[in-house]
Amino acid sequence: MRFISTIIVMSIGFAALASPQEEKENKKEEKDNFKYLTEQFADAKILRYQVPGFENLSLKQKELIYYLSQAALCGRDITYDQNFKSNLLIRTTLEAIYNNYKGDRTSEDYKKFVIYLKRVWFCNGIHHHYSTDKFLPEFSQDYFSILINSTPPESLPLMKGQDKNSFIRELMPLLFNPSVASKRVNLDSKSDLVLTSASNFYEGVSQREAEEFYSNLKEEAKKNKQDTLIAFGLNSKLVKEDGKIVEKIYKVGGLYSPAIEQIVQWLKKALTVTETPEQNTAVKKLIAFYRSGNLVTWDEYNIAWVKDLNSLVDFVNGFIEVYGDPMAMKGTWESIVNFKDVEATKRTEILSSNAQFFEDNSPVAPEFKKKKVKGVTAKVITAAQLGGECDPTTPIGINLPNANWIRKEYGSKSVTIDNITTAYDQAAKGNGFLEEFAFSKEEIERTGEYGHLAGNLTTDLHECLGHGSGQLKHGVGADALKNYHSTIEESRADLFALYYISDPVLIKFGLVPSDEVAKAEYDGFIRNGLMTQLVRIHPGKTIEESHMRDRALIARWVYEKGKEKNVIEKITRDGKTYFKINDYNALRTEFGELLKIIQRITSEGDYNAAMELVETYAVQVDPVLHKEVLARYEKLKLAPYTGFINPVYSLVRKDGKVTDVQITYPDDFATQMLFYSKNFSFLPVR
Ligand code: ZN
């Protein structure tokens, strides 16, 4: 599970100014002058992030990061292909034009073409990474023909014997027809979720057929006394061949083999420099999984990975999150390579070592609490490489593995990615967003002072305690809530965090200096859930992404609940809407009440109650408020989504031996994307 940035970060000026002595230090100066924001296009901005502490790692650790970073890049095309069947064909075509087009590159049309290509890179395909709606080029179909016709045929991915006209006819509807593959992940339960979603996990198979296939598979496993806890369907595409439904497994020798073979090659190199025996076992299991595609091995890998607690360097690499599948079964490929921020981790260690306390004292009904919380480990990490679904847009917190039974028996690892949130915060300094939407100067100052800490602590609580808390009633499957699962699960984790961030125990633990931190978090959360996150929604659209639904659900539920007592007040000033919290304690109680409800729904797998909550609070948009928010946001000229440029690692060799790994920070998004496409494309485009 993952935690993504709530929005356009709201902290301002939190970093203390450097003292004169410090400024003398070269490194520090470099850091302060580091250019975070490199460019902005459509609704996206591109940031660079620093990898502080990389230089201080041992050679072996640096080498490990290098090999894992290469493995992280090798799966890039898998993500594109999973997102939509024609993504690789489209990306390759656009890049061929970008690299070889002979016509005018200064025209407005050409600029629009470049923006479209950048958006495809940003979203790993032609659907918006967040809303999952297909976005259309702003140039015309005629212009697209001109581009193709002025690009040498040998550079285009033409089929054998295909001429340019037929090629143009093939691509035109994919790019320009809004009703072809209009949505990547359709979660509207009124239709067939599988057939109406463009993501490439099923082909020629209906939702009912897919459901039947997997329930049969589970029955069969039960009958044969096989492992029934495996994540059925996680690493495969379900297709109909000659009227028969079959699973195409992602593995060496199976689907995506050329890319997976490359990943395995780099993982084998990583094996030579692992830090601990546990890490070595985990990497070996992962290689074995990629070779066999066996989901029992996948679970064994996850168990080994959870047990590896002493390595500084760690990584995620595999078919992990299921947000891309409307049925929440199939894992999209992703990777994050990272290492522990030892100093900042002291914060999360306090939380995780008190996990049982938090579980026991939560407002949840006793029967849905874990009697014994196992090994919740939490750390603050420094990301070193983003890959697959986590690149260029990345979560800021992750809690894995996703398998409930492993979490229960062996625990889970939860991380907060500090160098990414730092990049967000630094880039947001003084961008005017907070000043526009916060009700008072007091709120602005509080956010400036405590926003960064509040945000990171909420992520810690969400990931390390929230997702790990609670238990399912016996016999309730993790997929019981189907299309509402992700929203409910994210709400559950958010509520756990919101409830506890204002618990006086955090002051006692020395994690926060005062209750101002919780206030800063509540201000931001309510403002965002009721209002500012709407900047991400196009006029006339509803809220669809599960984290956004989760925030709307919570904020609107507590707003309605406390209306009589005026817990949250809606204020209009100079024609602008604001939300002001009048009673922070009452608000906390409401968060607790909703957490209790949501945990019951989760534990009992109460699909109807989940539907009721989500459909009532999380989906619809007030058009008047929406219009106002968009207009206010428009004036700020900001982009609501953020992607990142990865650093580049290179091996330094002397006499054939690796003596160091160098890190550099490139600053051009297009160059990095083209470099990846040139060097890490291993899959056929059709
Ligand atoms: Zn989450």
mmCIF file of all heavy atoms in Angstrom, residues 172-213:
data_model
loop_
_atom_site.group_PDB
_atom_site.id
_atom_site.type_symbol
_atom_site.label_atom_id
_atom_site.label_comp_id
_atom_site.label_asym_id
_atom_site.label_seq_id
_atom_site.Cartn_x
_atom_site.Cartn_y
_atom_site.Cartn_z
ATOM 1 N N MET A 172 -4.366 6.709 -35.157
ATOM 2 C CA MET A 172 -5.303 7.827 -35.000
ATOM 3 C C MET A 172 -6.336 7.626 -33.890
ATOM 4 O O MET A 172 -6.435 8.451 -32.983
ATOM 5 C CB MET A 172 -6.009 8.051 -36.333
ATOM 6 C CG MET A 172 -6.042 9.445 -36.879
ATOM 7 S SD MET A 172 -4.684 10.549 -36.582
ATOM 8 C CE MET A 172 -4.396 11.158 -38.224
ATOM 9 N N PRO A 173 -7.107 6.524 -33.930
ATOM 10 C CA PRO A 173 -8.133 6.370 -32.877
ATOM 11 C C PRO A 173 -7.531 6.217 -31.484
ATOM 12 O O PRO A 173 -8.131 6.658 -30.502
ATOM 13 C CB PRO A 173 -8.883 5.091 -33.284
ATOM 14 C CG PRO A 173 -8.024 4.407 -34.286
ATOM 15 C CD PRO A 173 -7.153 5.436 -34.920
ATOM 16 N N LEU A 174 -6.355 5.610 -31.413
ATOM 17 C CA LEU A 174 -5.728 5.425 -30.099
ATOM 18 C C LEU A 174 -5.418 6.767 -29.448
ATOM 19 O O LEU A 174 -5.603 6.964 -28.257
ATOM 20 C CB LEU A 174 -4.430 4.616 -30.230
ATOM 21 C CG LEU A 174 -4.571 3.185 -30.743
ATOM 22 C CD1 LEU A 174 -3.204 2.558 -30.993
ATOM 23 C CD2 LEU A 174 -5.360 2.345 -29.741
ATOM 24 N N LEU A 175 -4.949 7.711 -30.302
ATOM 25 C CA LEU A 175 -4.584 9.022 -29.765
ATOM 26 C C LEU A 175 -5.774 9.970 -29.648
ATOM 27 O O LEU A 175 -5.898 10.684 -28.661
ATOM 28 C CB LEU A 175 -3.522 9.688 -30.659
ATOM 29 C CG LEU A 175 -2.069 9.485 -30.256
ATOM 30 C CD1 LEU A 175 -1.663 8.035 -30.406
ATOM 31 C CD2 LEU A 175 -1.156 10.361 -31.102
ATOM 32 N N PHE A 176 -6.634 9.953 -30.673
ATOM 33 C CA PHE A 176 -7.600 11.055 -30.787
ATOM 34 C C PHE A 176 -9.042 10.712 -30.453
ATOM 35 O O PHE A 176 -9.829 11.600 -30.178
ATOM 36 C CB PHE A 176 -7.548 11.644 -32.205
ATOM 37 C CG PHE A 176 -6.260 12.348 -32.506
ATOM 38 C CD1 PHE A 176 -5.224 11.691 -33.163
ATOM 39 C CD2 PHE A 176 -6.082 13.671 -32.109
ATOM 40 C CE1 PHE A 176 -4.029 12.344 -33.432
ATOM 41 C CE2 PHE A 176 -4.887 14.328 -32.381
ATOM 42 C CZ PHE A 176 -3.855 13.660 -33.046
ATOM 43 N N ASN A 177 -9.417 9.451 -30.560
ATOM 44 C CA ASN A 177 -10.823 9.130 -30.301
ATOM 45 C C ASN A 177 -11.061 8.981 -28.791
ATOM 46 O O ASN A 177 -10.570 8.053 -28.169
ATOM 47 C CB ASN A 177 -11.197 7.826 -31.019
ATOM 48 C CG ASN A 177 -12.687 7.552 -30.931
ATOM 49 O OD1 ASN A 177 -13.359 8.040 -30.020
ATOM 50 N ND2 ASN A 177 -13.197 6.784 -31.877
ATOM 51 N N PRO A 178 -11.842 9.928 -28.210
ATOM 52 C CA PRO A 178 -12.003 9.896 -26.747
ATOM 53 C C PRO A 178 -12.730 8.655 -26.249
ATOM 54 O O PRO A 178 -12.608 8.305 -25.082
ATOM 55 C CB PRO A 178 -12.812 11.169 -26.454
ATOM 56 C CG PRO A 178 -13.386 11.600 -27.748
ATOM 57 C CD PRO A 178 -12.551 11.031 -28.849
ATOM 58 N N SER A 179 -13.462 7.986 -27.120
ATOM 59 C CA SER A 179 -14.194 6.817 -26.612
ATOM 60 C C SER A 179 -13.423 5.507 -26.803
ATOM 61 O O SER A 179 -13.874 4.454 -26.362
ATOM 62 C CB SER A 179 -15.591 6.740 -27.228
ATOM 63 O OG SER A 179 -15.506 6.840 -28.620
ATOM 64 N N VAL A 180 -12.263 5.569 -27.445
ATOM 65 C CA VAL A 180 -11.428 4.368 -27.530
ATOM 66 C C VAL A 180 -10.519 4.335 -26.300
ATOM 67 O O VAL A 180 -9.769 5.267 -26.044
ATOM 68 C CB VAL A 180 -10.568 4.371 -28.822
ATOM 69 C CG1 VAL A 180 -9.547 3.236 -28.799
ATOM 70 C CG2 VAL A 180 -11.457 4.268 -30.045
ATOM 71 N N ALA A 181 -10.609 3.273 -25.525
ATOM 72 C CA ALA A 181 -9.796 3.122 -24.303
ATOM 73 C C ALA A 181 -9.881 4.373 -23.430
ATOM 74 O O ALA A 181 -8.877 4.918 -22.991
ATOM 75 C CB ALA A 181 -8.342 2.827 -24.670
ATOM 76 N N SER A 182 -11.107 4.811 -23.154
ATOM 77 C CA SER A 182 -11.279 6.116 -22.531
ATOM 78 C C SER A 182 -10.818 6.169 -21.081
ATOM 79 O O SER A 182 -10.510 7.231 -20.567
ATOM 80 C CB SER A 182 -12.746 6.541 -22.608
ATOM 81 O OG SER A 182 -13.531 5.592 -21.915
ATOM 82 N N LYS A 183 -10.772 5.016 -20.435
ATOM 83 C CA LYS A 183 -10.400 5.032 -19.024
ATOM 84 C C LYS A 183 -9.520 3.835 -18.695
ATOM 85 O O LYS A 183 -9.794 2.724 -19.107
ATOM 86 C CB LYS A 183 -11.675 4.980 -18.178
ATOM 87 C CG LYS A 183 -11.445 5.353 -16.765
ATOM 88 C CD LYS A 183 -12.711 5.901 -16.126
ATOM 89 C CE LYS A 183 -12.403 6.498 -14.776
ATOM 90 N NZ LYS A 183 -11.624 7.715 -14.795
ATOM 91 N N ARG A 184 -8.461 4.085 -17.948
ATOM 92 C CA ARG A 184 -7.553 2.987 -17.611
ATOM 93 C C ARG A 184 -8.155 2.087 -16.535
ATOM 94 O O ARG A 184 -8.153 0.872 -16.666
ATOM 95 C CB ARG A 184 -6.207 3.542 -17.151
ATOM 96 C CG ARG A 184 -5.196 2.485 -16.772
ATOM 97 C CD ARG A 184 -3.774 3.036 -16.799
ATOM 98 N NE ARG A 184 -3.548 4.111 -15.855
ATOM 99 C CZ ARG A 184 -3.303 3.942 -14.543
ATOM 100 N NH1 ARG A 184 -3.238 2.727 -14.043
ATOM 101 N NH2 ARG A 184 -3.091 4.976 -13.768
ATOM 102 N N VAL A 185 -8.660 2.701 -15.479
ATOM 103 C CA VAL A 185 -9.253 1.913 -14.392
ATOM 104 C C VAL A 185 -10.654 2.431 -14.114
ATOM 105 O O VAL A 185 -10.822 3.511 -13.570
ATOM 106 C CB VAL A 185 -8.419 2.021 -13.091
ATOM 107 C CG1 VAL A 185 -8.916 1.012 -12.064
ATOM 108 C CG2 VAL A 185 -6.940 1.834 -13.365
ATOM 109 N N ASN A 186 -11.648 1.667 -14.515
ATOM 110 C CA ASN A 186 -13.020 2.084 -14.253
ATOM 111 C C ASN A 186 -13.522 1.443 -12.963
ATOM 112 O O ASN A 186 -13.551 0.229 -12.834
ATOM 113 C CB ASN A 186 -13.917 1.673 -15.426
ATOM 114 C CG ASN A 186 -15.348 2.106 -15.191
ATOM 115 O OD1 ASN A 186 -15.604 3.026 -14.410
ATOM 116 N ND2 ASN A 186 -16.291 1.438 -15.831
ATOM 117 N N LEU A 187 -13.900 2.266 -12.016
ATOM 118 C CA LEU A 187 -14.354 1.736 -10.722
ATOM 119 C C LEU A 187 -15.852 1.931 -10.525
ATOM 120 O O LEU A 187 -16.373 1.726 -9.443
ATOM 121 C CB LEU A 187 -13.583 2.413 -9.580
ATOM 122 C CG LEU A 187 -12.084 2.123 -9.543
ATOM 123 C CD1 LEU A 187 -11.418 2.915 -8.438
ATOM 124 C CD2 LEU A 187 -11.806 0.639 -9.357
ATOM 125 N N ASP A 188 -16.540 2.319 -11.593
ATOM 126 C CA ASP A 188 -17.972 2.537 -11.503
ATOM 127 C C ASP A 188 -18.692 1.184 -11.575
ATOM 128 O O ASP A 188 -18.787 0.573 -12.631
ATOM 129 C CB ASP A 188 -18.418 3.447 -12.655
ATOM 130 C CG ASP A 188 -19.918 3.673 -12.635
ATOM 131 O OD1 ASP A 188 -20.584 3.190 -11.689
ATOM 132 O OD2 ASP A 188 -20.405 4.322 -13.568
ATOM 133 N N SER A 189 -19.211 0.778 -10.440
ATOM 134 C CA SER A 189 -19.712 -0.599 -10.338
ATOM 135 C C SER A 189 -20.964 -0.861 -11.175
ATOM 136 O O SER A 189 -21.424 -1.985 -11.255
ATOM 137 C CB SER A 189 -19.998 -0.930 -8.880
ATOM 138 O OG SER A 189 -20.933 -0.008 -8.370
ATOM 139 N N LYS A 190 -21.499 0.179 -11.803
ATOM 140 C CA LYS A 190 -22.693 -0.052 -12.610
ATOM 141 C C LYS A 190 -22.360 -0.733 -13.940
ATOM 142 O O LYS A 190 -23.236 -1.181 -14.646
ATOM 143 C CB LYS A 190 -23.431 1.270 -12.851
ATOM 144 C CG LYS A 190 -24.100 1.778 -11.560
ATOM 145 C CD LYS A 190 -25.030 2.946 -11.789
ATOM 146 C CE LYS A 190 -24.385 4.306 -11.755
ATOM 147 N NZ LYS A 190 -23.613 4.627 -10.565
ATOM 148 N N SER A 191 -21.064 -0.769 -14.270
ATOM 149 C CA SER A 191 -20.713 -1.414 -15.534
ATOM 150 C C SER A 191 -19.752 -2.574 -15.287
ATOM 151 O O SER A 191 -19.317 -2.810 -14.165
ATOM 152 C CB SER A 191 -20.073 -0.378 -16.462
ATOM 153 O OG SER A 191 -19.091 0.355 -15.763
ATOM 154 N N ASP A 192 -19.432 -3.292 -16.345
ATOM 155 C CA ASP A 192 -18.448 -4.371 -16.246
ATOM 156 C C ASP A 192 -17.065 -3.750 -16.057
ATOM 157 O O ASP A 192 -16.513 -3.149 -16.979
ATOM 158 C CB ASP A 192 -18.492 -5.204 -17.537
ATOM 159 C CG ASP A 192 -17.582 -6.416 -17.449
ATOM 160 O OD1 ASP A 192 -16.377 -6.235 -17.126
ATOM 161 O OD2 ASP A 192 -18.059 -7.537 -17.693
ATOM 162 N N LEU A 193 -16.526 -3.874 -14.872
ATOM 163 C CA LEU A 193 -15.285 -3.168 -14.534
ATOM 164 C C LEU A 193 -14.136 -3.568 -15.449
ATOM 165 O O LEU A 193 -13.294 -2.748 -15.807
ATOM 166 C CB LEU A 193 -14.889 -3.456 -13.080
ATOM 167 C CG LEU A 193 -15.889 -3.055 -11.995
ATOM 168 C CD1 LEU A 193 -15.335 -3.383 -10.611
ATOM 169 C CD2 LEU A 193 -16.230 -1.583 -12.094
ATOM 170 N N VAL A 194 -14.108 -4.819 -15.828
ATOM 171 C CA VAL A 194 -12.987 -5.317 -16.619
ATOM 172 C C VAL A 194 -13.080 -4.846 -18.070
ATOM 173 O O VAL A 194 -12.127 -4.306 -18.633
ATOM 174 C CB VAL A 194 -12.917 -6.857 -16.533
ATOM 175 C CG1 VAL A 194 -11.942 -7.414 -17.539
ATOM 176 C CG2 VAL A 194 -12.535 -7.275 -15.113
ATOM 177 N N LEU A 195 -14.257 -5.031 -18.648
ATOM 178 C CA LEU A 195 -14.418 -4.674 -20.061
ATOM 179 C C LEU A 195 -14.320 -3.173 -20.298
ATOM 180 O O LEU A 195 -13.941 -2.722 -21.375
ATOM 181 C CB LEU A 195 -15.758 -5.196 -20.593
ATOM 182 C CG LEU A 195 -15.867 -6.720 -20.704
ATOM 183 C CD1 LEU A 195 -17.260 -7.129 -21.152
ATOM 184 C CD2 LEU A 195 -14.816 -7.273 -21.676
ATOM 185 N N THR A 196 -14.669 -2.375 -19.286
ATOM 186 C CA THR A 196 -14.662 -0.925 -19.478
ATOM 187 C C THR A 196 -13.354 -0.276 -19.022
ATOM 188 O O THR A 196 -13.221 0.938 -19.067
ATOM 189 C CB THR A 196 -15.831 -0.265 -18.719
ATOM 190 O OG1 THR A 196 -15.778 -0.687 -17.353
ATOM 191 C CG2 THR A 196 -17.167 -0.645 -19.321
ATOM 192 N N SER A 197 -12.408 -1.082 -18.580
ATOM 193 C CA SER A 197 -11.107 -0.532 -18.188
ATOM 194 C C SER A 197 -10.079 -0.839 -19.275
ATOM 195 O O SER A 197 -10.034 -1.951 -19.789
ATOM 196 C CB SER A 197 -10.636 -1.152 -16.870
ATOM 197 O OG SER A 197 -11.502 -0.783 -15.823
ATOM 198 N N ALA A 198 -9.255 0.163 -19.588
ATOM 199 C CA ALA A 198 -8.292 -0.024 -20.672
ATOM 200 C C ALA A 198 -6.994 -0.680 -20.203
ATOM 201 O O ALA A 198 -6.158 -1.058 -21.009
ATOM 202 C CB ALA A 198 -7.968 1.324 -21.322
ATOM 203 N N SER A 199 -6.808 -0.813 -18.906
ATOM 204 C CA SER A 199 -5.572 -1.433 -18.439
ATOM 205 C C SER A 199 -5.494 -2.858 -18.980
ATOM 206 O O SER A 199 -6.491 -3.493 -19.265
ATOM 207 C CB SER A 199 -5.493 -1.413 -16.914
ATOM 208 O OG SER A 199 -6.614 -2.056 -16.354
ATOM 209 N N ASN A 200 -4.249 -3.320 -19.103
ATOM 210 C CA ASN A 200 -3.975 -4.492 -19.940
ATOM 211 C C ASN A 200 -3.815 -5.770 -19.116
ATOM 212 O O ASN A 200 -2.906 -6.547 -19.343
ATOM 213 C CB ASN A 200 -2.690 -4.178 -20.738
ATOM 214 C CG ASN A 200 -2.406 -5.194 -21.811
ATOM 215 O OD1 ASN A 200 -3.299 -5.900 -22.271
ATOM 216 N ND2 ASN A 200 -1.139 -5.290 -22.195
ATOM 217 N N PHE A 201 -4.691 -5.986 -18.162
ATOM 218 C CA PHE A 201 -4.579 -7.173 -17.317
ATOM 219 C C PHE A 201 -5.520 -8.293 -17.756
ATOM 220 O O PHE A 201 -5.410 -9.419 -17.306
ATOM 221 C CB PHE A 201 -4.885 -6.811 -15.859
ATOM 222 C CG PHE A 201 -3.930 -5.822 -15.270
ATOM 223 C CD1 PHE A 201 -4.344 -4.531 -14.960
ATOM 224 C CD2 PHE A 201 -2.607 -6.173 -15.039
ATOM 225 C CE1 PHE A 201 -3.464 -3.617 -14.408
ATOM 226 C CE2 PHE A 201 -1.719 -5.266 -14.492
ATOM 227 C CZ PHE A 201 -2.144 -3.980 -14.174
ATOM 228 N N TYR A 202 -6.467 -7.929 -18.599
ATOM 229 C CA TYR A 202 -7.444 -8.900 -19.082
ATOM 230 C C TYR A 202 -7.633 -8.649 -20.577
ATOM 231 O O TYR A 202 -7.568 -7.518 -21.024
ATOM 232 C CB TYR A 202 -8.797 -8.710 -18.377
ATOM 233 C CG TYR A 202 -8.708 -8.679 -16.870
ATOM 234 C CD1 TYR A 202 -8.458 -7.472 -16.200
ATOM 235 C CD2 TYR A 202 -8.872 -9.837 -16.114
ATOM 236 C CE1 TYR A 202 -8.369 -7.435 -14.814
ATOM 237 C CE2 TYR A 202 -8.780 -9.805 -14.733
ATOM 238 C CZ TYR A 202 -8.525 -8.594 -14.084
ATOM 239 O OH TYR A 202 -8.439 -8.553 -12.723
ATOM 240 N N GLU A 203 -7.879 -9.707 -21.310
ATOM 241 C CA GLU A 203 -8.179 -9.491 -22.731
ATOM 242 C C GLU A 203 -9.248 -10.472 -23.178
ATOM 243 O O GLU A 203 -9.078 -11.683 -23.051
ATOM 244 C CB GLU A 203 -6.901 -9.639 -23.568
ATOM 245 C CG GLU A 203 -7.044 -8.954 -24.916
ATOM 246 C CD GLU A 203 -5.698 -8.721 -25.606
ATOM 247 O OE1 GLU A 203 -4.680 -8.565 -24.905
ATOM 248 O OE2 GLU A 203 -5.685 -8.737 -26.844
ATOM 249 N N GLY A 204 -10.340 -9.905 -23.656
ATOM 250 C CA GLY A 204 -11.443 -10.741 -24.127
ATOM 251 C C GLY A 204 -12.172 -11.448 -22.992
ATOM 252 O O GLY A 204 -12.868 -12.436 -23.201
ATOM 253 N N VAL A 205 -11.981 -10.943 -21.770
ATOM 254 C CA VAL A 205 -12.567 -11.589 -20.602
ATOM 255 C C VAL A 205 -13.481 -10.587 -19.899
ATOM 256 O O VAL A 205 -13.126 -9.428 -19.756
ATOM 257 C CB VAL A 205 -11.447 -12.019 -19.625
ATOM 258 C CG1 VAL A 205 -12.028 -12.649 -18.373
ATOM 259 C CG2 VAL A 205 -10.482 -12.981 -20.308
ATOM 260 N N SER A 206 -14.656 -11.029 -19.485
ATOM 261 C CA SER A 206 -15.560 -10.132 -18.761
ATOM 262 C C SER A 206 -15.281 -10.199 -17.264
ATOM 263 O O SER A 206 -14.567 -11.084 -16.799
ATOM 264 C CB SER A 206 -17.015 -10.516 -19.022
ATOM 265 O OG SER A 206 -17.312 -11.731 -18.345
ATOM 266 N N GLN A 207 -15.854 -9.262 -16.540
ATOM 267 C CA GLN A 207 -15.682 -9.252 -15.088
ATOM 268 C C GLN A 207 -16.180 -10.559 -14.474
ATOM 269 O O GLN A 207 -15.511 -11.156 -13.628
ATOM 270 C CB GLN A 207 -16.450 -8.067 -14.484
ATOM 271 C CG GLN A 207 -16.315 -7.995 -12.972
ATOM 272 C CD GLN A 207 -17.083 -6.823 -12.366
ATOM 273 O OE1 GLN A 207 -17.521 -5.928 -13.083
ATOM 274 N NE2 GLN A 207 -17.241 -6.834 -11.065
ATOM 275 N N ARG A 208 -17.352 -11.006 -14.922
ATOM 276 C CA ARG A 208 -17.925 -12.231 -14.363
ATOM 277 C C ARG A 208 -17.005 -13.427 -14.629
ATOM 278 O O ARG A 208 -16.745 -14.242 -13.752
ATOM 279 C CB ARG A 208 -19.318 -12.476 -14.964
ATOM 280 C CG ARG A 208 -20.192 -13.399 -14.137
ATOM 281 C CD ARG A 208 -21.575 -13.564 -14.775
ATOM 282 N NE ARG A 208 -21.481 -13.851 -16.214
ATOM 283 C CZ ARG A 208 -21.232 -15.066 -16.712
ATOM 284 N NH1 ARG A 208 -21.081 -16.088 -15.919
ATOM 285 N NH2 ARG A 208 -21.128 -15.247 -18.024
ATOM 286 N N GLU A 209 -16.490 -13.478 -15.871
ATOM 287 C CA GLU A 209 -15.586 -14.586 -16.213
ATOM 288 C C GLU A 209 -14.318 -14.558 -15.366
ATOM 289 O O GLU A 209 -13.835 -15.595 -14.920
ATOM 290 C CB GLU A 209 -15.224 -14.520 -17.704
ATOM 291 C CG GLU A 209 -16.362 -14.941 -18.604
ATOM 292 C CD GLU A 209 -16.056 -14.679 -20.080
ATOM 293 O OE1 GLU A 209 -15.433 -13.641 -20.390
ATOM 294 O OE2 GLU A 209 -16.449 -15.508 -20.907
ATOM 295 N N ALA A 210 -13.802 -13.348 -15.155
ATOM 296 C CA ALA A 210 -12.586 -13.228 -14.343
ATOM 297 C C ALA A 210 -12.867 -13.641 -12.904
ATOM 298 O O ALA A 210 -12.088 -14.387 -12.292
ATOM 299 C CB ALA A 210 -12.061 -11.793 -14.393
ATOM 300 N N GLU A 211 -13.992 -13.192 -12.383
ATOM 301 C CA GLU A 211 -14.343 -13.555 -11.002
ATOM 302 C C GLU A 211 -14.507 -15.064 -10.866
ATOM 303 O O GLU A 211 -14.015 -15.671 -9.909
ATOM 304 C CB GLU A 211 -15.635 -12.835 -10.580
ATOM 305 C CG GLU A 211 -15.406 -11.379 -10.198
ATOM 306 C CD GLU A 211 -16.696 -10.567 -10.046
ATOM 307 O OE1 GLU A 211 -17.775 -11.075 -10.420
ATOM 308 O OE2 GLU A 211 -16.607 -9.424 -9.593
ATOM 309 N N GLU A 212 -15.176 -15.635 -11.858
ATOM 310 C CA GLU A 212 -15.385 -17.085 -11.835
ATOM 311 C C GLU A 212 -14.069 -17.834 -11.905
ATOM 312 O O GLU A 212 -13.834 -18.785 -11.163
ATOM 313 C CB GLU A 212 -16.242 -17.494 -13.038
ATOM 314 C CG GLU A 212 -17.670 -17.832 -12.655
ATOM 315 C CD GLU A 212 -18.497 -18.101 -13.899
ATOM 316 O OE1 GLU A 212 -17.966 -18.702 -14.881
ATOM 317 O OE2 GLU A 212 -19.644 -17.668 -13.914
ATOM 318 N N PHE A 213 -13.215 -17.355 -12.805
ATOM 319 C CA PHE A 213 -11.922 -18.022 -12.998
ATOM 320 C C PHE A 213 -11.168 -18.112 -11.676
ATOM 321 O O PHE A 213 -10.654 -19.161 -11.304
ATOM 322 C CB PHE A 213 -11.101 -17.260 -14.042
ATOM 323 C CG PHE A 213 -9.752 -17.881 -14.302
ATOM 324 C CD1 PHE A 213 -9.600 -18.873 -15.264
ATOM 325 C CD2 PHE A 213 -8.635 -17.467 -13.582
ATOM 326 C CE1 PHE A 213 -8.355 -19.452 -15.496
ATOM 327 C CE2 PHE A 213 -7.390 -18.042 -13.800
ATOM 328 C CZ PHE A 213 -7.250 -19.035 -14.763
#
